[in-house]
Amino acid sequence: MSQTAVKASGVTDAPDAGRWKALVFIALAQLMVVLDATIVNIALPSAQQDLGISDGNRQWVVTAYALAFGGLLLFGGRIADLWGRKRTFVVGLAGFAAASALGGAATNEAMMFGSRALQGVFGALLAPAALSLLAVMFTDAKERAKAFGIYGAIAGGGGAVGLILGGFLTEYLNWRWTFFVNIPFAVVAAAGAYLVIREPKGGRNRSPLDVPGVILSTLGLVALVYGFTRAESEGWSDAVTVGMFVGSAVLLLAFVIVESKVKAPLLPLRVITERNRGGIYLSLGLAIIAMFGLFLFLTYYLQIVKGYTPVKTGFAFLPMIAGMITGSTQIGTRLMTRVAPRLLMGPGFMVAAVGMLLLTQLEVDTSYAAVLLPGMLLLGLGMGTAFMPAMSMATQGVGPRDSGVASAMVNTSQQVGGAIGTALLNTIAASATTSYIADHIGGAATRSQQQLVQLEGQVQGYTSAIWFAVGILVVAAVIALTFVNAGRPGGSAVTGSGAGETAEDELPVPVVAH
C-alpha cells in the first residue's frame, strides 16, 4: 500500500499521543455498557415488586433493552462512520446517562420499559463507536494487542463484575442505584473523551445513508432477538415465535440482497464475507451463546440451590473475572504478536470448554472449591485468551470508513448470541428439569423429600444445558481454527504494506506476517 493510500485512508504512521489516556475513557464506557447487561438482572425482583410489574411483563425490563440494542447496532455503527466516532461516542454516553436517570426514577412499568429501550438505543451508538475508536487510534501491532487485551478483558469480565456490583447495590442501597450508578461512569467517560480523544482525519464515510438497509436490518434483528426471547417464555412452537423467525429470515435475506446492489450500503458485504472476519463473528457469537446461558444458570444455582445472598453470589464469580483478565491481558496480549490469532482463539475456546465440562458435574451438595472454582477459572482463562485476538482481528484490515460497521458486527454477534444463549439453553434446562421431577416425584413421600427432588431437578436441568454449552464451545473452536487463517500481525501498522492491497474503501484482509 502506497504512502498516499495510507494517508487517504486516514491511517498515518504517527500515532495519537493521547491514545493511552483515551483508552481509559473508552474502557470505562465499555465497562458501563457490559455492566448494565447483568446488573439489572440482580435488581429485577426488587424493581418488579416496587413498580407492580406482573410476572408476564417483567421480561420486558430485559427484552426492551435487548431489542433496541441488538436491532440498532448496525445503524449505530454506520452513524459513527458518518458523524465521526468521537461525536457519536459522546452523544451515546450522554443519552445512556439520561436514560439511566429515567430508569432509576421510574414510578411505573411504562417508565421502566421506556428507559430500558432508550438505554438500548444509545448503547447501540456507544458500543460500535468505542470499538472503532480503538481500531483507528491503535495501529502499531504490539500496542494494538495491549489495547485490545484490556478491552477484551472488560468485554468478557464486565458482566460478572455487574453481578457483584448489582448484589451490593440491591442489598445495601436499593434497586434504583443499579441505574443511577451509570451516571458517574458516563459523565467521567464523556468528559474525558471530549478532552482527550483526537480522531484521525479522513476516516469518515460521508456516503448517503442507506435507508432501506437501516429499516430491513433493524426490523430483521429485532424480529430475531424477540423470536428467541419469546421462545423462552412461550415455547418454540408458539405461532408468534415461529412467525418472528420466518419474518426475520425474510427481512435479513432482503437486507443482504439490497446491500449487494446499493451504491453506499449500510453493511458493505466485504466486511463479513472476508473469511477471517466471518469466522470471528461466527465463533464469537457461539461462544457468547454458551457463556450467557452459564451466567444465568450459575446465578440461579448459587442463590436458589446453595442459598447464597446476591453479594456472595457476585463474589463467587470472581475466579471467572480473574481468569478473563489474566487470559486477555497476560496470555492473549503477550502472544498476539508472536502466534497466529487462530492459535489463541481455538485453544482458548477449548480450555473454556474444559472448564464448562467440569461444571456438568454439579449436584445439590457440590463443593464450591472442588468444582465451581476450577471450572470458572478455566472458563475465564479460555474466554479471555480467545476474546482478545477476536476483538482485535474483527476490525483489523478494514478501512477507517468501514470501522464503525465492522465494530457493530462484533457487538451484534455478541448481542444476538446472548439472546439465543439465554433462550435456547433455558429451554433445554426447563425441559430436563420437568422430565426429572416427573420421573422422581412419585418416590418422595415427605415434604422435605419432595423439596429435594425439586432442587435435584433444577440442577439436572442446569447440567443438561451446560453439556450443550460444552458442545457449542467446541464448535466455536473448530470454526476459529478452520476459518481464521491470518498470520500473526507483523510490521508496525495493522494496515501495513502487504502486496495487492486495494483502495481505502476496500482493504481486503487483515495483514498476515511479513
Side-chain angles (χ1 to χ4, degrees):
M1 193 178 195
S2 69
Q3 287 298 319
T4 307
V6 170
K7 287 174 183 174
S9 70
V11 180
T12 63
D13 289 333
D16 181 0
R19 61 197 179 281
W20 291 108
K21 290 178 184 175
L23 174 62
V24 172
F25 300 111
I26 292 168
L28 188 64
Q30 173 65 11
L31 179 61
M32 181 187 72
V33 172
V34 177
L35 281 176
D36 198 72
T38 51
I39 199 170
V40 174
N41 289 346
I42 293 276
L44 185 54
S46 304
Q48 180 185 354
Q49 188 174 1
D50 276 7
L51 300 178
I53 302 172
S54 68
D55 285 349
N57 284 342
R58 71 180 173 188
Q59 65 161 328
W60 284 101
V61 176
V62 176
T63 304
Y65 178 83
L67 291 181
F69 190 63
L72 291 170
L73 271 167
L74 285 177
F75 179 53
R78 178 65 181 87
I79 290 293
D81 288 337
L82 182 64
W83 280 3
R85 294 160 199 90
K86 176 179 174 177
R87 183 184 301 172
T88 307
F89 183 70
V90 173
V91 168
L93 281 166
F96 201 92
S100 298
L102 183 66
T107 55
N108 55 51
E109 64 178 34
M111 272 183 77
M112 172 60 74
F113 300 156
S115 72
R116 290 291 284 161
L118 277 174
Q119 279 186 316
V121 169
F122 287 105
L125 283 178
L126 177 59
L131 187 55
S132 59
L133 275 170
L134 285 190
V136 297
M137 292 178 77
F138 289 89
T139 53
D140 177 80
K142 287 187 178 179
E143 288 193 350
R144 187 181 174 93
K146 288 179 184 176
F148 277 92
I150 293 166
Y151 188 89
I154 290 169
V161 176
L163 296 171
I164 297 175
L165 191 56
F168 261 106
L169 293 172
T170 304
E171 200 165 319
Y172 297 116
L173 294 171
N174 67 46
W175 65 267
R176 295 183 185 277
W177 282 96
T178 61
F179 287 89
F180 291 145
V181 75
N182 290 330
I183 298 170
F185 275 97
V187 169
V188 172
Y194 184 79
L195 294 171
V196 171
I197 291 176
R198 298 287 179 269
E199 190 176 346
K201 294 178 181 178
R204 289 198 197 177
N205 184 344
R206 299 182 186 275
S207 305
L209 194 61
D210 169 22
V211 177
V214 170
I215 294 169
L216 288 169
S217 68
T218 301
L219 291 177
L221 288 170
V222 164
L224 182 64
V225 173
Y226 183 57
F228 277 105
T229 304
R230 187 178 172 87
E232 186 183 352
S233 57
E234 303 298 327
W236 295 92
S237 59
D238 173 69
V240 177
T241 303
V242 174
M244 283 292 161
F245 287 135
V246 172
S248 173
V250 171
L251 287 163
L252 293 177
L253 180 61
F255 171 67
V256 171
I257 293 169
V258 166
E259 297 307 275
S260 68
K261 297 184 182 300
V262 297
K263 187 177 179 181
L266 173 70
L267 175 64
L269 295 183
R270 61 180 174 267
V271 172
I272 55 172
T273 53
E274 196 277 308
R275 67 179 288 168
N276 288 283
R277 283 190 291 276
I280 282 166
Y281 298 144
L282 191 55
S283 60
L284 200 58
L286 287 169
I288 292 291
I289 287 174
M291 200 167 92
F292 263 64
L294 185 77
F295 270 165
L296 184 72
F297 300 138
L298 285 186
T299 301
Y300 278 120
Y301 174 78
L302 291 169
Q303 289 195 38
I304 294 173
V305 178
K306 304 296 280 185
Y308 285 20
T309 64
V311 171
K312 192 176 178 183
T313 299
F315 276 109
F317 279 94
L318 276 176
M320 190 186 296
I321 300 170
M324 281 180 178
I325 292 171
T326 304
S328 189
T329 62
Q330 299 304 310
I331 302 172
T333 300
R334 291 172 188 273
L335 295 179
M336 179 69 185
T337 55
R338 300 180 186 179
V339 300
R342 69 178 180 276
L343 299 181
L344 288 174
M345 290 179 65
F349 288 138
M350 287 304 295
V351 168
V354 171
M356 199 80 86
L357 192 64
L358 275 176
L359 296 173
T360 62
Q361 307 306 305
L362 287 182
E363 294 177 2
V364 173
D365 57 352
T366 292
S367 160
Y368 175 85
V371 176
L372 285 154
L373 191 151
M376 287 198 281
L377 191 61
L378 285 172
L379 183 66
L381 270 173
M383 287 292 199
T385 302
F387 272 17
M388 187 261 144
M391 291 286 184
S392 179
M393 285 288 295
T395 53
Q396 190 168 311
V398 180
R401 59 187 279 128
D402 290 337
S403 66
V405 289
S407 302
M409 275 303 300
V410 179
N411 288 288
T412 300
S413 66
Q414 288 179 298
Q415 188 62 29
V416 173
I420 294 171
T422 304
L424 179 65
L425 296 180
N426 213 26
T427 305
I428 293 166
S431 175
T433 295
T434 303
S435 177
Y436 182 91
I437 292 172
D439 289 345
H440 294 81
I441 199 71
T446 65
R447 176 69 176 161
S448 61
Q449 288 174 335
Q450 290 170 355
Q451 287 176 333
L452 181 61
V453 168
Q454 297 276 356
L455 289 177
E456 287 173 345
Q458 287 187 34
V459 176
Q460 180 68 29
Y462 303 152
T463 55
S464 298
I466 292 170
W467 272 110
F468 274 85
V470 172
I472 291 168
L473 280 174
V474 171
V475 172
V478 171
I479 289 171
L481 287 168
T482 52
F483 277 69
V484 181
N485 66 349
R488 64 179 179 83
S492 60
V494 292
T495 49
S497 54
E501 288 182 331
T502 60
E504 55 141 322
D505 62 341
E506 202 160 340
L507 294 172
V509 292
V511 176
V512 298
H514 291 283

